[in-house]
């Protein structure tokens, strides 16, 4: 969150337009290394800058180029570690998706993001990530009505200012359980 807050502050900073683009691109790249969904928020930047009557196209281009340049070393390290797969951030998307889209999911983290021990045995992280994504998508497509309700609950929780407190208060954290079959 600190990087995201700094990036949000930079978006409305009244400095030189190109300098703002550089700072926002840098902060967005750093924030994306911990929370990749930050990049979806970046899609709103041109609209915000347009509403501020700024050079939105130039600022967006600069922010995008700086962000990509900042992510290249991270992506290259992942490329080498995964035997030639392009992984821009980290191979944890499957964990996150499975954690939020498993039969126990109720719109908040469940800490149920592992497959069975037999399925995970000896597999590299990028392979496990793909397997976890496939399992999560399977849960969603097998029960689309349930999944639609789950998405609605996730949106409601994400908009709640007390969501993190509620998550910890209800004792949902600290579990490291595995999903079977």
């Amino acid at each position: 969150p600190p990087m995201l807050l700094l990036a949000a502050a930079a978006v409305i900073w009244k400095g030189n337009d190109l300098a703002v683009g550089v700072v926002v691109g840098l902060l967005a790249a750093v924030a994306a290394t911990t929370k990749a969904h930050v990049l979806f928020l970046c899609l709103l930047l041109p609209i915000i800058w347009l509403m501020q009557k700024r050079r939105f196209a130039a600022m967006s281009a600069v922010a995008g180029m700086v962000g990509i340049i900042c992510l290249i070393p991270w992506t290259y390290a992942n490329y080498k570690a995964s035997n030639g797969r392009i992984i821009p951030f980290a191979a944890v998307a499957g964990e996150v998706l499975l954690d939020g889209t498993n039969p126990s999911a109720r719109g908040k983290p469940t800490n149920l993001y592992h497959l069975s021990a037999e399925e995970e045995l000896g597999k590299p992280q990028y392979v496990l990530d793909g397997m976890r994504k496939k399992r999560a998508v399977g849960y969603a497509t097998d029960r689309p009505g349930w999944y639609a309700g789950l998405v609605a609950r996730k949106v409601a929780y994400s908009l709640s200012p007390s969501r993190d407190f509620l998550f910890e208060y209800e004792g949902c954290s600290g579990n490291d359980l595995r999903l079977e079959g």
Side-chain angles (χ1 to χ4, degrees):
M3 286 299 133
L4 186 56
L5 290 174
L6 285 173
V11 167
I12 58 173
W13 175 37
K14 296 296 182 187
N16 174 286
D17 286 353
L18 298 182
V20 170
V22 168
V23 171
V24 168
L26 172 69
L27 292 172
V30 171
T33 63
T34 57
K35 297 285 186 185
H37 67 274
V38 166
L39 296 178
F40 291 113
L41 297 174
C42 293
L43 298 174
L44 299 174
L45 294 179
I47 297 167
I48 293 168
W49 288 330
L50 177 64
M51 289 172 38
Q52 293 176 336
K53 298 188 183 340
R54 299 181 81 167
R55 299 183 321 175
F56 70 95
M59 293 172 76
S60 301
V62 168
M65 288 187 321
V66 168
I68 288 169
I69 290 168
C70 290
L71 290 172
I72 286 174
W74 189 275
T75 303
Y76 180 70
N78 286 336
Y79 179 81
K80 289 192 62 114
S82 67
N83 296 320
R85 294 183 187 268
I86 296 180
I87 304 168
F89 312 110
V92 295
E95 286 181 6
V96 173
L97 192 58
L98 187 56
D99 181 38
T101 311
N102 65 69
S104 297
R106 300 291 180 266
K108 297 180 272 184
T110 63
N111 285 334
L112 298 172
Y113 53 85
H114 291 288
L115 303 171
S116 70
E118 296 80 31
E119 289 175 288
E120 291 194 359
L121 185 64
K123 293 181 179 68
Q125 182 61 33
Y126 64 90
V127 171
L128 289 172
D129 189 60
M131 293 170 61
R132 291 171 180 150
K133 283 183 212 171
K134 185 176 181 179
R135 178 72 53 84
V137 169
Y139 289 138
T141 56
D142 287 349
R143 297 171 43 202
W146 166 82
Y147 184 67
L150 178 62
V151 169
R153 277 192 299 281
K154 286 180 184 187
V155 169
Y157 283 128
S158 71
L159 297 174
S160 169
S162 61
R163 71 182 179 91
D164 293 329
F165 167 75
L166 288 173
F167 168 65
E168 291 180 14
Y169 178 74
E170 292 177 6
C172 296
S173 61
N175 299 329
D176 191 21
L177 305 173
R178 294 184 177 271
L179 294 171
E180 304 293 331

